[in-house]
Amino acid sequence: MSAARPIVLDVDTGVDDACAILLAALHPGLDLRAVTCVGGNAPLPQVVSNTLAVLHTAGRDDVPVAAGADRPLLAEPHDARHVHGDDGMGDLGWPRSPRAPETRHAVELLRDVLRAAARAGERVTVVPLAPLTNIALLLRTYPDVAAGIAEICFMGGAAHVGNATASAEFNVFHDPESAAVVIDACTDLDVALRMYGLDVFYSPVVTRTEAEELVALDPTGPAGLGGRLIAFQCERFGADGGTIGDAGAVCAVIDPQGLRTEPLPVRVELGGSWSRGRTVVDRRDWTGDLAHDPHGQALTRVDVGLDVDAEGYARLWRETLASAAGRR
Ligand code: RIB
Ligand code: CA
């Protein structure tokens, strides 16, 4: 087996962020170097507490956790506790970790991890699963870290739909300026950028029955937590299944072939009464239109996820958690 791929997550844990952390912490093909936190689904202190709790459940207290930005660069914060529960993690009452986060700021932890990787001749995959405030601050404050980045594979945006508004996806809507900065900085720094957006986000689903099987397998361990998180979604939305959400972006790192992407120009709408926070994904294919477009084409081409092996990604997540049960 080839060496495990170095990876860092930036999260706003979050029911589906928790699903993603479990996968990144447990999959043998990944080397989870750090998890950094940003305000988003829930206020920052709750995000940090949830993140530490998930890593503790996965037996990964070795993974450093740091708190970052507690609010967007400019926008007013709007949490998503109506989706994720008052505690941000399904109101499960899941046990807290005894561990405290790093004293370093999230941006400093990411800087240190990426610089160390660059010195060692490694490249780290950066997986933002939340508003991009920490990542924007990182790339503009310490641009040298690009030497330690293999790619940024972020959950955010959409080519076609919205969720936070009719026009915008939550992570980008929460901090549109940061999303625009990250897209621009990736062009400046020649960092590959892959977008796991709403066009694929909801497709990998775990059924209520599969969730119950995970809980039965290991009620207080990672499989049990994963199953309870899916079951929470089923209850909250009156559905027979729940999406692995952010965990799909981690699946795209483990199995890139499972996500079909196209390199497309992308801009973030920063103005607009009803469109602020929209990722404007340019899918026009006639050069005549582009040549006469007064806006001109967006400078940055992003590998936009347009189709996903939903069954395969859901199975990858389920089987990784189930196999951890056998190791406890
Ligand atoms: O729009 C979905 C995104 O917003 C996910 O990252 C979810 O956790 C929320 O943060
Ligand atoms: Ca998230």
Side-chain angles (χ1 to χ4, degrees):
M1 173 187 280
S2 59
R5 180 191 295 271
I7 184 175
V8 295
L9 304 186
D10 189 71
V11 297
D12 60 337
T13 314
V15 167
D16 60 319
D17 303 72
C19 292
I21 296 168
L22 289 171
L23 179 60
L26 296 169
H27 194 278
L30 297 179
D31 172 8
L32 182 59
R33 302 271 175 98
V35 182
T36 50
C37 301
V38 64
N41 287 324
L44 182 60
Q46 189 66 60
V47 169
V48 173
S49 174
N50 291 342
T51 301
L52 290 165
V54 176
L55 285 168
H56 188 62
T57 301
R60 296 302 309 274
D61 287 344
D62 60 298
V63 177
V65 172
D70 62 358
R71 55 148 299 140
L73 292 186
L74 198 60
E76 282 306 308
H78 299 279
D79 69 43
R81 284 182 280 189
H82 60 291
V83 172
H84 296 266
D86 289 340
D87 73 355
M89 206 166 93
D91 296 328
L92 305 179
W94 200 261
R96 298 294 93 179
S97 167
R99 182 163 65 117
E102 299 271 307
T103 53
R104 281 177 287 181
H105 188 281
V107 172
E108 294 165 338
L109 175 56
L110 290 171
R111 172 201 63 194
D112 294 347
V113 167
L114 295 174
R115 282 180 172 171
R119 285 194 299 271
E122 298 173 308
R123 296 291 177 273
V124 179
T125 298
V126 177
V127 185
L129 302 172
L132 288 160
T133 320
N134 287 341
I135 309 304
L137 292 169
L138 170 74
L139 295 178
R140 288 306 194 207
T141 309
Y142 302 110
D144 65 283
V145 302
I149 298 176
E151 69 159 337
I152 295 177
C153 181
F154 78 105
M155 191 282 129
H160 300 98
V161 296
N163 57 2
T165 71
S167 191
E169 178 278 325
F170 176 83
N171 288 336
V172 177
F173 178 71
H174 194 87
D175 191 345
E177 283 70 24
S178 286
V181 165
V182 168
I183 289 174
D184 198 51
C186 284
T187 298
D188 288 348
L189 303 174
D190 193 21
V191 170
L193 187 59
R194 200 153 42 124
M195 179 169 130
Y196 188 85
L198 294 185
D199 312 277
V200 293
F201 173 85
Y202 291 110
S203 300
V205 166
V206 174
T207 67
R208 189 191 292 265
T209 302
E210 290 167 335
E212 289 163 356
E213 288 165 358
L214 285 171
V215 173
L217 201 55
D218 185 12
T220 61
L225 174 56
R228 295 278 303 278
L229 292 164
I230 298 295
F232 167 80
Q233 292 185 59
C234 294
E235 290 308 311
R236 170 127 311 186
F237 305 118
D240 190 44
T243 176
I244 65 171
D246 286 335
V250 177
C251 291
V253 177
I254 297 166
D255 172 20
Q257 300 308 312
L259 181 69
R260 183 178 70 79
T261 63
E262 285 182 24
L264 298 169
V266 179
R267 282 191 175 100
V268 178
E269 175 59 77
L270 301 179
S273 303
W274 313 119
S275 57
R276 176 166 159 80
R278 180 178 189 81
T279 46
V280 181
V281 177
D282 191 344
R283 300 196 70 189
R284 290 173 295 175
D285 60 3
W286 182 54
T287 52
D289 281 337
L290 303 179
H292 291 80
D293 180 343
H295 298 159
Q297 267 198 32
L299 290 176
T300 302
R301 286 194 175 248
V302 178
D303 290 325
V304 177
L306 296 172
D307 199 12
V308 66
D309 175 8
E311 281 294 316
Y313 279 13
R315 184 171 55 251
L316 172 58
W317 181 81
R318 289 198 321 271
E319 290 179 352
T320 302
L321 271 59
S323 66
R327 296 202 296 264
R328 272 167 49 89

